[in-house]
Amino acid sequence: MVPQWRVGPVVLPVHGVFVGLGVLVAALVFTAEARRRGAVNDQSLVAVTGALVGGAIGTRLSGWAEHVDLRLNRTLLQAWEFGSRSILGGLLGAYLGVLIAKRIGGYTGKTGDLFAPAVALGMAVGRIGCHLTEAPGRPTGLPWGVHAPVTTPKCPGCLTGAAMHPSFLYEIGFQLATFVVLLWLRSRVPHPGELFVLYVAGYAVFRFFVEFTRANETVWLSLTRPQWFLLPSLLLIAVRLGYGYRRGYYDIVLKRQAVP
């Protein structure tokens, strides 16, 4: 059963409430950052629209490719209606949505730096809903292990009363810390688009390793589906960071003298 809050005659899904709050917080941070940079214009609104539409589609369809044998997967319609909701799919969908919206609108400017701090803080808020409604993580003997109700879906540890990793709290802490770091970096990484690259790189590395504490099913070589999705992504990100390093995009942060 989906955890819900009742406010008078209105029933609100707990997870959905925090997802909505996360989107609202991200929109407010994006607007504030766009104003600070003098980038509040039709193009930035087009980018936001593309991110919202692409993110919604990516989130809802991300549970489609669960099996290598495509015949075993749901249809796209079934995945849309009943499939799992993946934040990685949402982020990928949002990124593609921005690219498509910018291409349609003929806008070639960089908008990633506006999204980076907004996404980080919005994710921190949205993950509160995950912590309150989903299986926390794998069993642990660490003193900060948490217990969840036996009614929590897909949570064998909840039935046995085992202490589990508070994996979503780990991510909330990461996203909040990243938001602060991004605010510090924004004047030290002046090249357009690099702030977003650094955020994606940091989150990809964090997410790969935090998966070892998550309750997600392992599919091959003790790795989960998100980890297999992230492995090739991490290789591409490493290449992209190397490109930025050689171009001197991070010289101020690294206190490295630019090569003439």
Side-chain angles (χ1 to χ4, degrees):
M1 180 177 179
V2 178
Q4 298 173 331
W5 285 332
R6 182 176 295 276
V7 182
V10 180
V11 177
L12 301 173
V14 175
H15 187 271
V17 167
F18 282 99
V19 169
L21 288 175
V23 172
L24 176 60
V25 167
L28 292 175
V29 173
F30 179 92
T31 302
E33 189 65 7
R35 286 176 177 170
R36 189 186 73 84
R37 293 172 180 259
V40 179
N41 49 44
D42 292 343
Q43 288 82 8
S44 63
L45 294 178
V46 167
V48 170
T49 302
L52 292 175
V53 174
I57 294 174
T59 298
R60 296 187 71 88
L61 294 183
S62 55
W64 171 67
E66 293 185 352
H67 305 282
V68 176
D69 185 348
L70 298 183
R71 294 172 299 178
L72 300 177
N73 292 323
R74 299 179 175 94
T75 65
L76 289 178
L77 180 59
Q78 289 171 332
W80 179 270
E81 294 180 344
F82 309 113
S84 59
R85 306 290 185 258
S86 167
I87 193 65
L88 291 177
L91 288 175
L92 177 61
Y95 178 71
L96 294 176
V98 171
L99 293 181
I100 294 171
K102 288 167 65 175
R103 176 63 62 88
I104 293 174
Y107 180 54
T108 58
K110 300 286 188 178
T111 56
D113 292 344
L114 302 177
F115 282 104
V119 171
L121 192 57
M123 287 272 287
V125 175
R127 282 305 195 190
I128 297 174
C130 298
H131 176 68
L132 295 176
T133 61
E134 297 183 21
R138 299 180 186 180
T140 179
L142 295 172
W144 55 79
V146 298
H147 300 269
V150 296
T151 55
T152 304
K154 300 180 181 179
C155 182
C158 300
L159 298 175
T160 63
M164 293 165 285
H165 280 286
S167 61
F168 293 116
L169 293 185
Y170 298 159
E171 182 160 350
I172 291 170
F174 169 82
Q175 297 290 356
L176 290 175
T178 300
F179 174 71
V180 174
V181 170
L182 289 172
L183 294 184
W184 179 79
L185 284 174
R186 62 187 181 184
S187 61
R188 294 170 173 83
V189 182
H191 190 81
E194 290 307 304
L195 205 63
F196 185 73
V197 171
L198 292 173
Y199 171 72
V200 170
Y203 181 61
V205 172
F206 167 82
R207 180 60 190 270
F208 182 85
F209 286 104
V210 84
E211 275 293 307
F212 289 111
T213 71
R214 294 280 298 272
N216 291 330
E217 175 191 8
T218 57
V219 291
W220 191 42
L221 298 179
S222 299
L223 298 180
T224 65
R225 289 186 181 88
Q227 286 174 314
W228 283 111
F229 172 84
L230 286 166
L231 276 177
S233 303
L234 287 169
L235 292 176
L236 294 175
I237 289 169
V239 171
R240 179 59 180 79
L241 289 176
Y243 173 84
Y245 178 81
R246 291 192 300 272
R247 289 294 185 107
Y249 295 162
Y250 319 126
D251 283 353
I252 298 176
V253 177
L254 300 174
K255 298 182 179 180
R256 185 170 70 115
Q257 294 294 326
V259 178

